[in-house]
Amino acid sequence: MDFSLTDEQQLIVETTRRFVQSEIVPLEDHLDPDAGALEPQDYDRLVEKTQTMGFYGLDIPEEYGGPGLDTTTRALMAIEMSQHRAGLYNPCYGVFGGAGLAQLYEATDTQKEQWLYPTLRGEKKGCFALTEPSGGSDPARAIQTRGFKDGAEWVLTGSKLYISGADKADYALIFARTSDDPGRNGVTAFIVDTDTPGFHVRRVVHTLRATHYATELQFDEMRVPEENILGEVNGGFAIANDRLSRQRIPYAAGCIGPAIQAQEMAIDWAKSRETFGSPLAEKQAIQWMIVDNEIDIRHARYCVLEAAQKADSGERFRTEAAMAKLVATEASSRVVDRCIQIHGGVGVTKDLPLERWYRELRIRRVGEGPSEVQRLIMARDILGGSFK
Amino acid sequence: MGIRLDKSWETLNPETIASLPAQLGVYQVADDDCNVLSVGYAGARHPFGIRSALDDELQFHGNQATKFRYEFTSNYRSRWDELLMLHLCDHGQLPEHQRGEEHRIGRLSPD
Ligand SMILES: Cc1cc2nc3c(=O)[nH]c(=O)nc-3n(C[C@H](O)[C@H](O)[C@H](O)COP(=O)(O)OP(=O)(O)OC[C@H]3O[C@@H](n4cnc5c(N)ncnc54)[C@H](O)[C@@H]3O)c2cc1C
């Protein structure tokens, strides 16, 4: 595969890198090390800049007014946009805009008017509520939230766990079991306004990620109109699954940025810090850590770009996307871990971003399908004979 | 597990503040009648953690602030947001000088 960048991609990468280094990194010097948002005036100023650059709403498809980036260019940008302290879960603090929940592009025109377009205009926020206390790796079997038809409405009862952003959301995409089928054919997706009676955000779930926390939801006989069903009754799982596969590529790419930054920091540190009469960079143990980092970073980058190129060329990319997610999350975790080791004491302090990346990268190996599930996806494809 | 900060109140003065370890965490500051005046956090930018944060509160509120209660946590950001949301849910609004946070935080319905 040819991983060389086109002139346009090179320009986009360089512009994004400059933006991150000149606009985002200096602001972080004044923020709490665990901050999840910029000051409102900084946010507004930078949104104006990304709009002028023509990069606002990166993930919005072209026909909806987005810049229409291909997956490869989007992945390259994700690698750049995550190269700052909050970059893993909040690349550039959202100043490049969001695209809303990908599933809403499959919605009816009326549903788009109600939820998608206001989201694209920044007037509404949504959350994605799939995982339940009974499990998230195998949601098709684990979902216990029930939906019963009652006249023109559906009545939803149950709970969800680890749902990001539900406390600030105007609507939730909720997956509920609506038939006796215990697997993927019995699940329906509902778009539910969060002010619907019976919708409760019960608590914040505190994790290694201090901002963008998760929440626990409870639904008490929540009445939802039939027209809020997204897609077909009992066809919701395909919608959930589709989103998860598509998002694996930028999700994986976003893990590489902190690894690159950590490696640059470790190289600088190793060259300047002396122990036993010489710089760390002259010790073979340190050199090997730096080399292992480089191997991990390049491996992750190749996997991400391979998956992205397959997606762009219309080929099947499920195995490649799963491999990119697995490799990028695990390799970047190892890189940041080694960089902390090279830094010694200062590596574990909140004076540097390493400790935040270390904590947050740990979540990446569980979220959006744990490593074992990525292996399961690849094994199915490989053993199923599609890996030729 | 209760999610409210419902420990007993302690007296807020320079001596009790100085006796605290310099850790990260969250706290509430209140007046004599236990009306909450501030829901705050001691983060990594406070040189002596909760001690520095409570010193600032004492400066800000003066004699009106007489009580405090706290919880140590390295997850001070998410716990702070949770306490703000709980306060909003229980009282309908945040303490006066924190009203600006109302647009930023989410909504909980814990009970
Ligand atoms: C901070 C955070 C935010 C999140 N945000 C959201 C959100 O917004 N919306 C949402 O719906 N979900 C969200 N999640 C949930 C996340 O997707 C799930 O945690 C994840 O899918 C794993 O599900 P689980 O935690 O129930 O683990 P389980 O399904 O119980 O699995 C536990 C472990 O078992 C192992 N395992 C599972 N299956 C296999 C197998 N076949 N073979 C071998 N080992 C296996 C894996 O190591 C896995 O980690 C979030 C989670 C976190 C931590």
Side-chain angles (χ1 to χ4, degrees), chain A residues 73-145:
Chain A
T73 311
R74 180 65 186 89
L76 290 166
M77 282 189 80
I79 294 173
E80 297 301 326
M81 287 166 60
S82 54
Q83 295 192 31
H84 61 98
R85 193 189 290 261
L88 199 55
Y89 277 100
N90 204 359
C92 297
Y93 295 91
V95 299
F96 283 84
L101 299 169
Q103 299 74 15
L104 290 185
Y105 294 97
E106 315 296 323
T108 63
D109 288 345
T110 318
Q111 290 172 337
K112 283 178 186 164
E113 290 291 342
Q114 200 170 345
W115 293 291
L116 177 64
Y117 302 136
T119 306
L120 298 185
R121 292 194 297 269
E123 296 159 9
K124 282 190 178 178
K125 284 188 191 142
C127 68
F128 182 81
L130 178 69
T131 305
E132 301 201 358
S134 48
S137 300
D138 182 16
R141 286 184 192 79
I143 287 176
Q144 292 178 6
T145 292

Side-chain angles (χ1 to χ4, degrees), chain A residues 114-349:
Chain A
Q114 200 170 345
W115 293 291
L116 177 64
Y117 302 136
T119 306
L120 298 185
R121 292 194 297 269
E123 296 159 9
K124 282 190 178 178
K125 284 188 191 142
C127 68
F128 182 81
L130 178 69
T131 305
E132 301 201 358
S134 48
S137 300
D138 182 16
R141 286 184 192 79
I143 287 176
Q144 292 178 6
T145 292
R146 295 296 309 215
F148 296 100
K149 184 109 194 270
D150 184 20
E153 293 179 322
W154 288 76
V155 182
L156 305 190
T157 301
S159 60
K160 297 281 173 183
L161 193 58
Y162 310 131
I163 308 308
S164 306
D167 58 317
K168 294 176 186 158
D170 300 288
Y171 62 91
L173 187 57
I174 296 172
F175 295 84
R177 191 161 301 286
T178 44
S179 91
D180 291 336
D181 184 304
R184 58 181 57 218
N185 296 323
V187 175
T188 302
F190 295 88
I191 314 171
V192 181
D193 288 317
T194 54
D195 59 4
T196 305
F199 182 100
H200 304 290
V201 183
R202 287 303 190 201
R203 68 179 178 114
V204 169
V205 182
H206 302 279
T207 67
L208 291 167
R209 189 174 85 190
T211 52
H212 298 284
Y213 44 77
T215 60
E216 181 171 343
L217 308 184
Q218 190 185 330
F219 315 130
D220 287 335
E221 301 198 348
M222 198 165 62
R223 300 190 79 84
V224 182
E226 170 94 13
E227 57 267 25
N228 288 30
I229 289 177
L230 181 64
E232 302 290 318
V233 174
N234 297 325
F237 192 71
I239 293 175
N241 224 12
D242 186 52
R243 180 231 199 205
L244 297 177
S245 318
R246 275 167 202 264
Q247 290 194 339
R248 271 179 201 131
I249 300 172
Y251 187 90
C255 298
I256 302 173
I260 291 172
Q261 275 299 307
Q263 169 80 330
E264 284 180 10
M265 289 167 62
I267 290 170
D268 285 348
W269 182 259
K271 285 181 177 168
S272 60
R273 183 76 165 183
E274 292 197 2
T275 65
F276 298 93
S278 63
L280 287 175
E282 289 179 19
K283 328 276 186 217
Q284 193 181 45
I286 302 294
Q287 291 171 356
W288 286 16
M289 282 198 248
I290 301 272
V291 169
D292 287 344
N293 283 349
E294 200 62 29
I295 293 169
D296 273 334
I297 290 168
R298 290 193 199 193
H299 184 197
R301 196 168 179 278
Y302 292 151
C303 286
V304 164
L305 291 180
E306 187 191 10
Q309 284 191 9
K310 285 218 163 175
D312 284 336
S313 63
E315 291 175 67
R316 261 172 75 88
F317 63 93
R318 197 172 57 166
T319 295
E320 286 75 12
M323 196 177 293
K325 200 272 180 186
L326 174 83
V327 171
T329 54
E330 300 209 339
S332 298
S333 297
R334 286 193 297 269
V335 170
V336 171
D337 184 52
R338 287 188 204 106
C339 293
I340 287 180
Q341 196 66 19
I342 292 169
H343 275 83
V346 71
V348 292
T349 67

Side-chain angles (χ1 to χ4, degrees), chain A residues 2-14:
Chain A
D2 178 11
F3 292 133
S4 52
L5 308 193
T6 64
D7 289 348
E8 192 192 2
Q9 286 170 337
Q10 191 62 45
L11 184 67
I12 290 176
V13 164
E14 280 164 16

Side-chain angles (χ1 to χ4, degrees), chain B residues 7-37:
Chain B
K7 293 174 161 184
S8 46
W9 294 100
E10 297 184 33
T11 306
L12 182 70
N13 60 38
E15 291 73 41
T16 45
I17 293 175
S19 71
L20 295 170
Q23 279 178 231
L24 308 180
V26 291
Y27 59 83
Q28 291 170 334
V29 166
D31 64 13
D32 278 341
D33 299 323
C34 301
N35 297 311
V36 174
L37 303 172

